[in-house]
Amino acid sequence: MADFEPTSITGGGGDTVRCRYCGQLNRARTDGGQARCGRCRLTLSNEPHIKFADLDKHSYVHPLDSRSLAALRAIPGLDRAVTKLLNLTGEPFLNVIMMASAVRVTPLQCPDLYAKLQVACTTLGVDMPELYVMQSPVVNAFTYGVDRTIIVLFSGLLERLTDEEVLAVIAHEVGHIHAEHVLYLTAANLIMAIARGAITAAPISNLITQIISATMEAALKAWMRRAELSCDRAALLVTQDPDVIGRTMMKLSGGTYASRLDYQQFLQQARDFQKNYDDKALDRFWADIITSGLTHPFPVWRVSEILAWVESGEYERVLHGAEAESAAA
Ligand SMILES: [Zn+2]
Ligand SMILES: [Zn+2]
């Protein structure tokens, strides 16, 4: 008797299932159908979900991310310029926008999203950031904030994705925190928001050109796209299912039309992409991405990179390294 934690849902008796993601006790379904956790809404199953005791970012950071980050850091005066930019413009400004126009996620407001954030943070070993949902048809999310880290999900994304796919997106954003991307990411997001006209307070755009040189801006944007590849891997380490990442990318790529796309064909397209590029073509590809100004211009490429990581055996090694760790603890 004392072995069981008291829980309201076990009141009627019968078997219980503990959610492998968030730990909530749920009453087992008797009809054999696919049940979801009452707290985080992710699928209940007897498969284990691995939590990392001490995940090293170097175990998953993509080599293209490390290389372009090194190039970025080699620019003289970069850190001083970025810090100055954020002090003058970024955080207080963005925080006002958030508080005024977005919904803050708490254990009482959108509790399943709060639970998913907790799942991502406990899996990767990251302190809980704040999470907001912003009304917008855009299928996107971003992370910013050096003093206070904030993740923002656009409502268009939540409307289109399944619970597992929402976890993947949140985990990708938590990955930016774990991989220590947030300082440069905030600067890059701010520069791009101003370029798109999303932030129209005039003095800010003038300040940016004074503080951030064209070289710094180009290097920040180049790195930002490559940093995505690392965080897709972090998302896989949380969902522990490559197909969840693949389907999320298909929806980012296909938009509302994604429900009519064939997932296997999409995977084949990603494999063809990986097979057909050479380094020269790749350079042109990145150059196009950087100049395109699109927020998510390369889902097929991102899936091809995730497939390559899984097929190299690296993903399994990182995952089972964690298992060995927790067994030894
Ligand atoms: Zn749960
Ligand atoms: Zn990202």
Side-chain angles (χ1 to χ4, degrees):
M1 178 91 193
D3 290 333
F4 295 97
E5 279 177 34
T7 164
S8 57
I9 49 169
T10 58
D15 291 338
T16 58
V17 183
R18 190 175 289 284
C19 173
R20 61 189 178 141
Y21 295 102
C22 78
Q24 172 87 5
L25 270 182
N26 291 267
R27 193 192 313 214
R29 276 174 68 151
T30 46
D31 60 6
Q34 187 60 272
R36 289 189 172 270
C37 172
R39 182 164 174 267
C40 69
R41 290 205 208 147
L42 297 164
T43 317
L44 292 173
S45 127
N46 292 323
E47 293 289 306
H49 184 260
I50 293 163
K51 308 277 193 289
F52 295 87
D54 188 16
L55 181 63
D56 179 359
K57 66 172 179 170
H58 300 291
S59 67
Y60 67 84
V61 161
H62 195 288
L64 287 173
D65 173 2
S66 325
R67 241 177 283 153
S68 58
L69 188 61
L72 179 62
R73 287 206 170 117
I75 300 173
L78 177 85
D79 277 9
R80 206 173 48 235
V82 165
T83 310
K84 193 170 171 191
L85 172 74
L86 297 183
N87 287 342
L88 284 173
T89 60
E91 276 192 81
F93 191 84
L94 286 168
N95 288 341
V96 169
I97 295 179
M98 275 319 125
M99 287 309 289
S101 59
V103 174
R104 179 147 96 206
V105 173
T106 69
L108 298 176
Q109 179 68 273
C110 313
D112 70 291
L113 290 180
Y114 190 82
K116 288 181 181 84
L117 177 65
Q118 257 178 343
V119 168
C121 289
T122 52
T123 305
L124 295 176
V126 168
D127 290 340
M128 289 275 284
E130 288 179 41
L131 178 62
Y132 286 83
V133 175
M134 209 167 192
Q135 199 61 41
S136 165
V138 178
V139 183
N140 200 4
F142 66 93
T143 299
Y144 77 94
V146 179
D147 297 334
R148 251 165 78 206
T149 308
I150 292 179
I151 294 176
V152 183
L153 305 175
F154 290 120
S155 57
L157 186 117
L158 298 172
E159 283 156 14
R160 221 164 278 172
L161 302 184
T162 65
D163 287 281
E164 276 72 17
E165 292 159 358
V166 169
L167 175 67
V169 170
I170 293 175
H172 171 103
E173 297 303 322
V174 172
H176 280 306
I177 302 171
H178 187 267
E180 298 175 289
H181 285 163
V182 179
L183 172 67
Y184 294 148
L185 198 62
T186 304
N189 273 323
L190 199 64
I191 292 168
M192 288 175 71
I194 288 160
R196 282 199 308 272
I199 296 175
T200 47
I204 295 181
S205 31
N206 296 334
L207 272 174
I208 289 204
T209 46
Q210 284 167 29
I211 298 167
I212 302 280
S213 70
T215 315
M216 288 175 186
E217 185 175 334
L220 268 170
K221 287 180 182 169
W223 163 76
M224 191 188 182
R225 298 302 179 206
R226 291 157 169 89
E228 297 294 69
L229 303 176
S230 300
C231 294
D232 289 342
R233 291 178 174 187
L236 175 57
L237 291 172
V238 172
T239 64
Q240 298 168 19
D241 181 347
D243 285 335
V244 170
I245 309 296
R247 287 179 192 281
T248 308
M249 291 300 159
M250 185 172 78
K251 289 189 182 175
L252 292 178
S253 156
T256 44
Y257 200 65
S259 61
R260 293 171 63 184
L261 299 181
D262 183 318
Y263 178 60
Q264 293 308 325
Q265 290 301 314
F266 182 74
L267 287 184
Q268 191 52 49
Q269 187 187 342
R271 288 203 169 88
D272 291 346
F273 182 93
Q274 188 82 24
K275 211 166 49 206
N276 289 337
Y277 74 72
D278 56 50
D279 283 348
K280 262 215 181 66
L282 192 61
D283 285 345
R284 284 198 299 276
F285 177 76
W286 282 111
D288 289 346
I289 283 174
I290 292 158
T291 51
S292 69
L294 294 172
T295 42
H296 282 92
F298 59 137
V300 174
W301 159 259
R302 285 167 67 178
V303 170
S304 86
E305 284 293 334
I306 279 294
L307 290 176
W309 196 51
V310 171
E311 281 157 16
S312 73
E314 260 317 297
Y315 158 65
E316 288 287 331
R317 257 197 297 282
V318 177
L319 199 65
H320 294 126
E323 237 171 9
E325 245 171 47
S326 51

